[in-house]
Amino acid sequence: MGATYSAEDNKLRLYVGRVPRADYERLRAAGFVSTPKQDCDFVATWTPRREDIALSFLEDDEDIGDEDYSPQERAADRAERFEGYREKRAGEAGAN
């Protein structure tokens, strides 16, 4: 488990894996979004409340780290994913 913060995009990212339903609902209610296609599991814009929630998933001696993955790298990965979607949809359209 871990959590990071990126000042470049003002996002908190949680790396917690699959969480129990109650935790999932608590994260969603706080504004975290599930990100199954990305390397992290949940993401939200930073607020003091969201930071407290992220810290609750960490061990007592752990803190939120700096995000090493740049927004440019995320954009490139996203573009790659969308290219795959486009190819899949084109194949599906041609199969009809």
Side-chain angles (χ1 to χ4, degrees), residues 1 27 40 56 65 72-73 85:
M1 288 196 200
L27 287 165
C40 65
S56 74
Q72 293 81 9
E73 291 170 314
Y85 298 157

Side-chain angles (χ1 to χ4, degrees), residues 23-75:
D23 286 339
Y24 177 82
E25 290 174 3
R26 181 171 66 121
L27 287 165
R28 295 284 297 159
F32 280 88
V33 177
S34 177
T35 57
K37 301 269 184 197
Q38 297 181 24
D39 290 334
C40 65
D41 301 304
F42 294 93
V43 66
T45 303
W46 182 90
T47 66
R49 179 172 174 246
R50 291 174 184 155
E51 180 178 352
D52 290 342
I53 290 171
L55 287 169
S56 74
F57 283 90
L58 303 178
E59 298 292 325
D60 290 337
D61 61 338
E62 288 184 300
D63 201 4
I64 296 172
D66 293 330
E67 181 64 45
D68 294 332
Y69 204 51
S70 75
Q72 293 81 9
E73 291 170 314
R74 283 188 193 287

Side-chain angles (χ1 to χ4, degrees), residues 12-26:
L12 279 169
R13 291 182 173 83
L14 290 177
Y15 302 85
V16 293
R18 194 168 174 89
V19 296
R21 186 70 176 174
D23 286 339
Y24 177 82
E25 290 174 3
R26 181 171 66 121

